[in-house]
Amino acid sequence: MLFAARSAVALYRLLDVSPVFSGDHRITRLFTLVPGSDFGVDVLSAIEAVGGRTVPWSEACAGTYDLVVAASPKGDVPMLRGTHVLLPHGAGFNKSLPEEGSADSASGLDPAYLLRADDAAPIALHAVAHPEQLARLAAVAPQAARNTKVIGDPTLERVLASYPRRDHYRTALGTGPRKLLVLASTWGPDSLIRRRPELPAQLAAHLPHDAYQLALIVHPNERSLLGTYELTERLAPALDAGMILANPHEEWASVLIAADALVTDHGSTALYYAAPQDRPLVSVSRDCAELIPGSPMDVLLGHIPELGSAEAIEDAVRAYRPGTGRAAAQAAFAYQGSALNRLRGELYALVGLTPPVLGNPLRLLPDPAPAARAATAFDVHAEVTAEGARIVRHPAGMGPPGHHLAVEHGAATEQLTRSAGLLYRHSAPSTAAPADLSWSAGGWTRHVLAEYPGCRAAAAVRRDGPWLLDVRGHPQPYTVQVEPRPEGGRIARIDPAAAISAVHAWLITHRTKPAAPTVLTCHIGERSVRVLLRPATADETGREI
């Protein structure tokens, strides 16, 4: 069988379907790049990444195949000889692209591409996801609808099957007790990153670091047009603040499952997000010339809050009304939970084979990768009370300065390091080197305070705790220990650097040098935690970091 892809997004949909033949030695899976698309630049590298065998286009056109499976009807796909199967490469058929085919037809349901010439291979099976899509096609092109069947959405099957791994994905992303806010951008002039390119950085600057994590999903077509380098350079301020840029193959869906809220344009990613569970959705714009009136995305965008400024994001998320997203997903996807098995039966019938007894077409989504970059310097805003402190951290340089600048030593620039009021470092990773030279906690804090005379405090964060905080002018270092916070059967742990900033702000403001154990109440992000502060023992000061 031959998988024919003319763009990266079409290839990824084909890869979601490929496991319907898993475990079958009678099936040989080949790939080819269909020429002519502006978005084909990443297809060959994506095939290579999964280890697929590629057939050059000229060779593909010379052969005959038992199955030719494509996720787009456009281009030269009809030139391939064999039994043709057409799959959707999105959800809902929400767009009409006036520059392609019929101006009033949904992209993917356009008779201009579905009705093939007499000398071209016919489409033996056109799989759609919902009865409404079949009815829409039958109304404009009965002949094209003749071999169309409602199967469901194979990509959604992976999302639904993988949803129990939500906590696992959040752990992989390093989300912790924070809320994960995801932005989803389609491609083209009305997309989020074209209309509001500044929004990711604005949200990264506005949202408190200890309360929110930010991620962005970009349509593969946009990646193909820009290239990864150009895209990441444009997004550099938000990426430097720790925003996750999801991989376009599989990982985007893992990030969707992990999300607590989604900010979307008119792209169909929002429908995959809404199907497993009803969580908040916010739109960036309802004004889109491509959007087909009455389509699932059009209905969805008309019923969810619209985001004005980045500063209004929390209010927009709270304004979402439960039920809206699930209703839109129900209008886009039928046979939720059984689409792959339905498709498996149809494809095996086309090739005249009985499916093997063994083999499972469902593949769980892989773990998403954590942010490639991380904020390593923070403007820390503090409200200090007699009992503790409330702090809000923002990546340095993305807003006004705060009570102090906290910088991770060895991870930020020398300029930021010399400007820091608080320097901290984490335990060094273990090494297999036969010889090693490492710091003790107290040795490192004394060294840093001597090396940077403008720094008021240094802290060593050990993996097994407690943490050591050395304040300039105080007679001895302190240990800092945060009590884990139970929450509904879970244990929430905060970033040690945030707790140390809270303790540092309290000590500096009160100009106190406690000689006995002291319990502080620190408010960090959306949580309050109890922090134990006490003078460090000689053993604790001398422990290796």
Side-chain angles (χ1 to χ4, degrees):
M1 64 175 297
L2 182 68
F3 290 113
R6 65 191 304 268
S7 67
V9 67
L11 173 66
Y12 299 147
R13 295 301 179 261
L14 297 177
L15 291 174
D16 284 336
V17 167
S18 175
V20 299
F21 299 107
S22 64
D24 196 333
H25 65 278
R26 300 168 296 178
I27 304 292
T28 300
R29 303 152 191 80
L30 304 173
F31 296 85
T32 193
L33 168 62
V34 182
S37 172
D38 293 337
F39 311 115
V41 63
D42 294 326
V43 173
L44 294 178
S45 59
I47 295 172
E48 183 179 357
V50 300
R53 180 183 168 192
T54 304
V55 178
W57 177 248
S58 58
E59 182 180 328
C61 289
T64 301
Y65 301 90
D66 294 300
L67 275 184
V68 176
V69 185
S72 170
K74 300 174 184 177
D76 293 334
V77 174
M79 295 175 61
L80 298 169
R81 293 198 293 266
T83 301
H84 280 231
V85 173
L86 178 62
L87 306 172
H89 70 260
F93 297 103
N94 304 288
K95 295 181 182 180
S96 177
L97 304 178
E99 70 276 9
E100 295 185 2
S102 308
D104 57 348
S105 290
S107 179
L109 290 181
D110 192 339
Y113 298 106
L114 298 176
L115 294 174
R116 295 181 171 178
D118 293 339
D119 59 343
I123 299 173
L125 171 64
H126 180 191
V128 295
H130 194 276
E132 184 274 338
Q133 298 161 11
L134 174 56
R136 224 194 307 177
L137 180 58
V140 295
Q143 185 179 349
R146 191 170 300 154
N147 291 327
T148 300
K149 293 186 179 181
V150 181
I151 300 297
D153 190 284
T155 297
L156 178 66
E157 293 302 288
R158 299 191 69 192
V159 175
L160 296 174
S162 301
Y163 192 80
R165 290 174 56 84
R166 173 175 157 82
D167 285 347
H168 196 81
Y169 296 149
R170 291 172 66 87
T171 299
L173 292 169
T175 305
R178 297 178 292 174
K179 292 179 180 177
L180 176 58
L181 178 68
V182 177
L183 310 180
S185 177
T186 187
W187 63 281
D190 291 327
S191 66
L192 184 154
I193 64 170
R194 294 285 183 173
R195 279 194 168 188
R196 301 187 65 174
E198 73 291 342
L199 184 60
Q202 289 174 345
L203 288 170
H206 169 69
L207 295 171
H209 177 82
D210 297 299
Y212 287 89
Q213 184 181 36
L214 195 63
L216 173 64
I217 296 170
V218 177
H219 194 286
N221 284 358
E222 200 67 40
R223 283 178 174 264
S224 294
L225 286 176
L226 292 176
T228 300
Y229 175 79
E230 177 65 23
L231 179 64
T232 54
E233 285 301 300
R234 293 187 182 194
L235 297 170
L239 294 174
D240 290 341
M243 184 182 75
I244 295 157
L245 180 60
N247 188 295
H249 179 215
E250 301 182 311
E251 186 177 301
W252 66 272
S254 302
V255 171
L256 274 189
I257 291 172
D260 293 294
L262 183 74
V263 178
T264 184
D265 53 21
H266 63 291
S268 60
T269 298
L271 297 172
Y272 291 110
Y273 165 84
Q277 189 172 6
D278 198 10
R279 287 167 283 148
L281 272 158
V282 175
S283 76
V284 288
S285 176
R286 300 189 181 106
D287 176 24
C288 176
E290 297 177 345
L291 197 58
I292 296 176
S295 64
M297 277 305 301
D298 179 58
V299 173
L300 176 64
L301 294 180
H303 289 84
I304 61 176
E306 185 173 359
L307 179 64
S309 67
E311 291 74 22
I313 182 62
E314 294 98 329
D315 290 338
V317 169
R318 283 192 292 267
Y320 174 78
R321 293 293 173 260
T324 307
R326 294 298 292 273
Q330 291 293 337
F333 306 117
Y335 300 114
Q336 296 185 24
S338 62
L340 269 175
N341 282 328
R342 290 173 62 82
L343 182 61
R344 188 177 196 233
E346 294 287 346
L347 295 183
Y348 269 98
L350 285 175
V351 295
L353 294 175
T354 300
V357 176
L358 301 178
N360 184 356
L362 271 177
R363 302 281 171 83
L364 296 179
L365 294 164
D367 288 352
R373 311 177 198 175
T376 56
F378 297 93
D379 286 313
V380 182
H381 299 261
E383 297 177 11
V384 179
T385 65
E387 296 79 22
R390 179 185 298 275
I391 68 162
V392 176
R393 298 192 301 166
H394 293 278
M398 302 196 77
H403 176 275
H404 64 272
L405 177 66
V407 176
E408 183 177 356
H409 184 267
T413 65
E414 179 69 3
Q415 181 181 8
L416 284 170
T417 303
R418 290 205 173 274
S419 302
L422 168 66
L423 285 170
Y424 62 93
R425 66 164 286 175
H426 295 279
S427 296
S430 57
T431 174
D436 191 21
L437 182 65
S438 59
W439 286 104
S440 67
W444 181 80
T445 58
R446 289 191 299 271
H447 164 74
V448 165
L449 292 175
E451 184 78 8
Y452 298 97
C455 181
R456 301 187 70 173
V461 179
R462 301 178 66 251
R463 276 188 294 270
D464 55 354
W467 314 315
L468 191 76
L469 174 63
D470 201 344
V471 182
R472 191 182 299 277
H474 285 224
Q476 78 289 308
Y478 305 95
T479 61
V480 178
Q481 200 160 3
V482 176
E483 295 183 359
R485 176 188 167 100
E487 293 184 356
R490 301 186 182 192
I491 304 297
R493 289 184 170 85
I494 62 168
D495 186 345
I500 289 168
S501 272
V503 173
H504 168 68
W506 185 83
L507 288 170
I508 295 300
T509 300
H510 289 294
R511 299 183 181 180
T512 184
K513 302 175 182 179
T518 303
V519 176
L520 304 177
T521 300
C522 299
H523 300 271
I524 299 167
E526 298 182 345
R527 290 166 171 80
S528 62
V529 294
R530 284 166 50 91
V531 180
L532 175 63
L533 174 70
R534 59 176 173 79
T537 65
D539 176 66
E540 290 166 334
T541 303
R543 289 180 185 172
E544 183 181 12
I545 57 171

